[in-house]
Amino acid sequence: MAKILFIMTGASEWTLNDGTKHTTGYWAEEAVVPLDAFKDAGHRVTVATPGGTVPPVDPVSLDPDLAGGADSAARYRDAVATAPEFAAPLDLAAVDLADYDAVYVPGGHGPMEDLAVDDRAGALLADALAAGKPVGLVCHGLAALLPATEPDGGNAFAAHRITGFTDREERLGALADKAPWLLQTRLEQAGLHFEAGEPFAPHVVVDRTVVTGQNPQSSHTAAAELLKLIG
């Protein structure tokens, strides 16, 4: 049995470039699908957030039209409400990486608000990479890579091939013009090799011990690829 650390957002709002607040959180599919896959494989999941805040789900991600149908939406809604892992998160500040075999970060716009500037989240990811532990991130969860810096200021994941929510997808989702910054652009500026797939279609990139998924539709494959690395 492996122990897997989920680093999740504690932000229920995303501050847009005009100062308004956009209701958000984590995207249900990106958290629930891997959670179920890892637990079904016999592994244990622990959730940690900044300050130990219970991670808020983005209510839009529970809409059947965006969750893949009524059955999927009901499954995600039930997991969000009942999964003990979501209900009692650790504070990221109290996490000892030595206790875990792998790290996973789901998306939603919440990470754009808090994990993108959370030094502890960045340090945990950088340390996991240095230790050779599998690291998985999906969609906007890749914002947590931005503070994963080396002592010289460079990004620990620079030169890795990755994917994540693309600037094109942000534009198609009608939030690009309101966003204070765009994830793909910022990751490329940090030196990561971003590989964009078709919008809202499954696309996963595996580079050494790092698994990244482009969007919610990539959650299933990303979880499967991370399980291969965990063994």
Side-chain angles (χ1 to χ4, degrees), residues 86-103:
F86 297 146
L90 299 179
D91 186 338
L92 277 176
V95 169
D96 184 348
L97 187 65
D99 294 336
Y100 301 95
D101 304 293
V103 181

Side-chain angles (χ1 to χ4, degrees), residues 42-97:
H43 303 311
R44 178 181 175 185
V45 171
T46 297
V47 171
T49 65
T53 301
V54 173
V57 67
D58 188 325
V60 175
S61 69
L62 301 175
D63 184 323
D65 290 338
L66 295 175
D71 289 345
S72 293
R75 172 192 167 196
Y76 301 153
R77 191 175 294 109
D78 179 68
V80 166
T82 65
E85 293 84 2
F86 297 146
L90 299 179
D91 186 338
L92 277 176
V95 169
D96 184 348
L97 187 65

Side-chain angles (χ1 to χ4, degrees), residues 1-8 34 38 41 43-48 90 92 95-106 121 124-137 157 208-211 222-231:
M1 178 189 74
K3 294 181 179 180
I4 305 170
L5 175 68
F6 272 36
I7 296 177
M8 296 184 67
F38 299 153
H43 303 311
R44 178 181 175 185
V45 171
T46 297
V47 171
L90 299 179
L92 277 176
V95 169
D96 184 348
L97 187 65
D99 294 336
Y100 301 95
D101 304 293
V103 181
Y104 173 72
V105 188
L124 287 167
L125 289 165
D127 290 348
L129 181 69
K133 298 185 179 188
V135 174
L137 311 96
F157 290 79
R208 289 159 279 182
T209 57
V210 180
V211 177
E225 292 294 337
L226 195 59
L227 279 171
K228 290 179 184 177
L229 294 178
I230 293 169

Side-chain angles (χ1 to χ4, degrees), residues 115-215:
L115 298 184
V117 292
D118 192 291
D119 290 339
R120 181 58 180 159
L124 287 167
L125 289 165
D127 290 348
L129 181 69
K133 298 185 179 188
V135 174
L137 311 96
V138 169
C139 201
H140 291 93
L142 277 91
L145 295 180
L146 295 174
T149 54
E150 302 279 19
D152 64 2
N155 193 283
F157 290 79
H160 275 74
R161 296 168 42 249
I162 53 95
T163 191
F165 203 70
T166 65
D167 292 358
R168 183 182 179 192
E169 286 171 314
E170 206 74 83
R171 287 192 293 272
L172 291 171
L175 280 172
D177 290 341
K178 302 176 182 178
W181 50 274
L182 298 177
L183 181 61
Q184 177 182 349
T185 296
R186 188 65 66 84
L187 290 169
E188 290 174 338
Q189 291 172 344
L192 287 79
H193 298 308
F194 196 103
E195 298 182 0
E198 289 299 312
F200 306 111
H203 178 59
V204 170
V205 172
V206 181
D207 187 352
R208 289 159 279 182
T209 57
V210 180
V211 177
T212 52
Q214 180 170 315
N215 43 38

